[in-house]
Amino acid sequence: MIYLDYAASSPPYPQVVEKMRDIMCTSYGNASGIHPMAEKSRLIIRQSRRTLAELLEVQPQQVFFTSGATEANNWAVKSAMAAGGKRHMIIFAPEHSSVIAAARYMEARGFELTWLRPDGDGLLSSETVERAIRPDTGLLCVQAVNNETGVMQDVEAMAQLARKKGILYHCDGVQSFAHCQQPLKLPDFVSLSAHKLGGPAGVGALIVRRPDLISPFIHGGGQELGYRAGTENTAGAAGFATAAELAFEEKEREQTRLERLSAQFVSAMKALDERIRLNGENAPRRAGILNFFFPQISGEELVLRLARADICASPGAACASRDGAPSHVLMAMGLSKEAAGNSVRFSFGRLTTEEELKETVNVIRKILGKGE
Ligand code: PMP
């Protein structure tokens, strides 16, 4: 099988699996207890929080474990708006569906939203954001890296602008953390997810610059400094921290390798048909996420035919690919419904080889009916 859907979920590091297995067998105490087995869990969670904080260059008490980035995004958007006392929020149109749905939830409760579209390459300028700011703006949501196109936003410029204007800045950092060099210590809130970087699914974190700016999200216990109730996922937290450490260790080497693979894949795809386009081609992009428009075949059809050849790709985000709607990300970039529907994301990472990408291009060549 050729797996090219890393942006949806990535293969866990063997060391992560081993670490989690070990913890589940030997440190299964409820961290809230007062006996030695509970103490073991508490220490593991404390160390995992510390590891993530160091990698992010923040303080451990700013790291809150969650069930994933969907929860972290919901928490940040709902609670920051409710706590801030302001009624207006600025949201980037290509955000992940969990940011969008949380914002819509707030809108239904009387908050006002301004949606900002990117340019044709998927980029948002800070001038566009500045023009949308009003006296009652409380929150700005702009992701670090788009999960469908890999387009990177200027997190530093967004953070500086928000600070200057006295607005909170939430940044979905899922596809950035441990993958590229954006300054994730700057935003007020950052959402992270373990399974995008070789850790387990169902674990994530919300990084909060000032915990007094946010209110508790899940009630019913004193865990996570009283902000997020529920028995801690000890093995999950350790799996997340272990994966992040490993991903950071190989980050620069991996980035260089993925940039080379990405460049080769793009030119091989374009050589198949000059009308095949890379969506977001002229924007700064994270290596390893490529989204192509195909002139003669729908994204869904291509993905299904690739699946028959045991190749895994995705027509847009995994969270949206089952509803069959054309990508809101590509449409916000100005692609027509048809062009968005004819696009496919290939995302790859640590275990992807040059041979696998060559084989994928060969299979696509056959599907498109192009000769050798
Ligand atoms: N934000 C982005 C940018 C993502 O790619 C994803 C995963 N599809 C999420 C949020 C949601 O993360 P999780 O799967 O941990 O809920």
Side-chain angles (χ1 to χ4, degrees):
M1 181 186 290
I2 298 180
Y3 185 74
L4 301 178
D5 206 15
Y6 276 63
S9 203
S10 64
Y13 287 96
Q15 299 95 312
V16 167
V17 177
E18 189 45 44
K19 177 100 183 175
M20 292 179 71
R21 203 193 72 86
D22 182 50
I23 290 173
M24 291 175 83
C25 293
T26 63
S27 308
Y28 42 79
N30 185 321
S32 300
I34 53 169
H35 48 69
M37 195 54 121
E39 180 64 11
K40 280 177 89 170
S41 295
R42 262 200 304 282
L43 286 177
I44 291 168
I45 293 164
R46 192 179 304 152
Q47 185 50 48
S48 306
R49 202 187 303 282
R50 204 176 286 153
T51 300
L52 287 171
E54 273 168 22
L55 295 173
L56 284 151
E57 299 175 47
V58 301
Q59 296 302 312
Q61 61 273 22
Q62 296 174 309
V63 177
F64 295 86
F65 285 112
T66 65
S67 65
T70 297
E71 180 187 324
N73 282 334
N74 269 270
W75 185 5
V77 171
K78 293 177 184 171
S79 145
M81 281 313 284
K86 294 191 174 164
R87 309 300 299 168
H88 177 239
M89 165 178 167
I90 300 172
I91 174 167
F92 188 38
E95 289 292 311
H96 185 262
S97 54
S98 54
V99 177
I100 292 177
R104 292 254 184 247
Y105 174 92
M106 295 310 283
E107 187 180 34
R109 278 150 190 79
F111 291 84
E112 276 182 60
L113 310 183
T114 296
W115 296 88
L116 296 184
R117 284 172 54 157
D119 66 13
D121 279 303
L123 268 183
L124 179 67
S125 71
S126 45
E127 292 74 36
T128 306
V129 176
E130 187 153 10
R131 278 196 295 275
I133 294 175
R134 313 189 321 204
D136 61 344
T137 305
L139 183 67
L140 167 68
C141 290
V142 180
Q143 61 194 185
V145 172
N146 186 270
N147 50 309
E148 294 189 31
T149 60
V151 170
M152 295 164 66
Q153 303 302 326
D154 190 341
V155 171
E156 187 169 358
M158 298 298 158
Q160 278 169 357
L161 176 62
R163 198 73 53 88
K164 188 173 91 186
K165 299 282 181 180
I167 297 166
L168 295 174
Y169 172 31
H170 167 256
C171 177
D172 180 333
V174 168
Q175 302 289 350
S176 171
F177 181 52
H179 290 289
C180 50
Q181 322 286 357
Q182 289 164 307
L184 296 182
K185 64 178 174 188
L186 298 181
D188 295 290
F189 309 104
V190 175
S191 306
L192 304 175
S193 176
H195 69 121
K196 314 291 181 170
L197 48 92
V203 188
L206 181 64
I207 314 305
V208 185
R209 198 173 60 82
R210 277 182 46 197
D212 60 309
L213 294 174
I214 203 156
S215 46
F217 191 51
I218 299 180
H219 306 269
Q223 294 92 346
E224 297 297 307
L225 299 174
Y227 279 84
R228 198 242 180 208
T231 303
E232 292 92 339
N233 180 355
T234 310
F240 186 4
T242 305
E245 264 184 317
L246 291 165
F248 262 77
E249 261 165 46
E250 61 189 28
K251 189 165 80 169
E252 272 157 42
R253 204 174 50 244
E254 226 356 53
Q255 259 178 286
T256 311
R257 193 183 74 90
L258 293 181
E259 266 160 27
R260 182 174 53 79
L261 290 184
S262 297
Q264 287 169 351
F265 193 58
V266 171
S267 40
M269 290 288 254
K270 286 184 170 175
L272 288 180
D273 184 330
E274 62 188 13
R275 294 168 303 162
I276 293 177
R277 275 200 321 266
L278 179 64
N279 293 316
E281 176 145 32
N282 302 311
R285 273 175 303 103
R286 200 206 91 180
I289 302 181
L290 296 169
N291 193 308
F292 292 96
F293 158 76
F294 293 88
Q296 332 103 292
I297 188 164
S298 82
E300 194 177 337
E301 166 89 18
L302 180 55
V303 166
L304 291 175
R305 291 183 62 180
L306 284 168
R308 276 188 235 144
D310 231 12
I311 298 175
C312 308
S314 165
C319 317
S321 57
R322 286 198 175 273
D323 68 14
S327 154
H328 73 283
V329 173
L330 300 178
M331 288 184 43
M333 287 162 66
L335 270 73
S336 66
K337 213 170 159 184
E338 292 67 35
N342 277 22
S343 295
V344 173
R345 174 184 74 186
F346 299 87
S347 53
F348 39 91
R350 170 178 122 248
L351 302 178
T352 309
T353 63
E354 196 172 329
E355 289 64 41
E356 286 182 320
L357 294 178
K358 279 189 182 150
E359 173 60 13
T360 302
V361 174
N362 281 336
V363 172
I364 295 175
R365 174 181 293 120
K366 285 184 198 135
I367 292 173
L368 299 181
K370 310 273 173 190
E372 289 293 319

